[in-house]
Amino acid sequence: MNNKPVLLVIAHGSRDPRHAATVHALVRRVRAQRPDVRVETGFLDFNVPSVQGVLESLAVQGVRDVVALPLLLTRAFHAKADIPAVLADAPPQLRIHQAEVLGPSPLLLAALERRLYEAGLSPADKSSTGVVLASAGSTDPEAIAVIAEIAREWRHTGWCAVRPAFASAGSPAGFPRTEDAVRELRALGCSRVAVAPYVLAPGRLPDRIARGAAEADVLADVLGPAPEVARVVLERYEAARAPALAAVGA
């Protein structure tokens, strides 16, 4: 009998059908990497199944232990408020452990570089290429600080320069948009400028990033179902699974 907790991947959801399709592709890759783990998907908004619906279904099936993993790159409002609120309304017979968000992680940097290389760059281009680390954006100071730190760390791996940028109009004033960061890297003297979307799935804000990359030389794809992202999902699952197993004496 498989006594491993069910992994419930919680995605934000979007009216853009590409979002759910990308989430499902990532979940398929996670299942392929760990066929011994049951993996389910729930959405906070716009798409079905809802998180609440999945939790109720699991309870009816007799599941007792669930690791709920926010499919988010930073600990902002959704991870701190929305998801805990939804989980608090779960059927009482479920023991739920909320996993950490995906970022930051060296594996996500590897996934960003994978996408840049798929878009036409090579490792030999790093020293002459400036990169815009383009995130969706946030008003959460912790999330903003994490993005800035990721950019600093990534710069030390050999890129000409790395600048963070934010797509959301709700980000604090003074934080650069993608197009501003592209121009800044041009002015800095980087011979090539690439935009790396630090987002998981297509949608309105990733489209805004793409429009802001119009003057860049290279635009990478979203992280999506990159194998490194699937590995981070499973790392977060295992870290949250430990107390879940302790709770049942397994």
Side-chain angles (χ1 to χ4, degrees):
M1 181 178 176
N2 188 347
N3 64 350
K4 294 181 177 66
V6 171
L7 169 56
L8 172 58
V9 174
I10 301 178
H12 182 274
S14 172
R15 292 186 179 90
D16 189 322
R18 297 173 298 168
H19 174 91
T22 302
V23 169
H24 290 309
L26 172 59
V27 169
R28 286 194 296 272
R29 189 176 287 275
V30 172
R31 288 182 181 131
Q33 290 190 12
R34 285 292 301 276
D36 59 315
V37 174
R38 179 177 175 182
V39 186
E40 301 291 342
T41 309
F43 295 90
L44 291 174
D45 207 354
F46 302 117
N47 303 106
V48 292
S50 68
V51 175
Q52 189 65 31
V54 174
L55 291 171
E56 291 173 358
S57 177
L58 291 174
V60 168
Q61 295 170 41
V63 171
R64 290 297 173 262
D65 292 287
V66 176
V67 169
L69 185 143
L71 201 61
L72 301 167
L73 295 172
T74 59
R75 271 183 47 79
F77 182 79
H78 294 304
K80 294 177 179 179
D82 283 355
I83 291 175
V86 172
L87 297 180
D89 288 335
Q93 61 266 46
L94 292 176
R95 290 183 291 256
I96 300 177
H97 297 261
Q98 182 174 332
E100 290 296 325
V101 297
L102 301 185
S105 168
L107 285 169
L108 294 178
L109 286 182
L112 285 166
E113 295 203 351
R114 169 189 292 275
R115 294 303 189 222
L116 285 169
Y117 298 152
E118 289 171 350
L121 293 179
S122 74
D125 297 321
K126 292 183 76 167
S127 62
S128 60
T129 302
V131 179
V132 177
L133 179 69
S135 72
S138 174
T139 57
D140 186 288
E142 179 184 351
I144 293 168
V146 166
I147 297 298
E149 180 60 25
I150 291 170
R152 283 191 291 269
E153 289 184 6
W154 204 15
R155 163 68 182 86
H156 295 311
T157 66
W159 295 100
C160 173
V162 179
R163 293 291 185 273
F166 301 90
S168 173
S171 295
F175 284 81
R177 299 172 302 168
T178 303
E179 51 267 43
D180 299 328
V182 169
R183 292 168 189 147
E184 180 185 349
L185 290 171
R186 289 269 189 235
L188 194 64
C190 297
S191 61
R192 186 183 297 100
V193 176
V195 173
Y198 190 61
V199 292
L200 287 166
R204 179 176 57 87
L205 292 178
D207 284 348
R208 186 178 295 170
I209 290 172
R211 290 193 296 272
E215 296 179 19
D217 301 295
V218 174
L219 171 62
D221 199 357
V222 299
L223 295 173
E228 296 86 356
V229 179
R231 285 170 59 195
V232 178
V233 168
L234 290 168
E235 282 187 357
R236 299 293 183 255
Y237 168 77
E238 289 295 341
R241 176 179 171 239
L245 289 176
V248 297

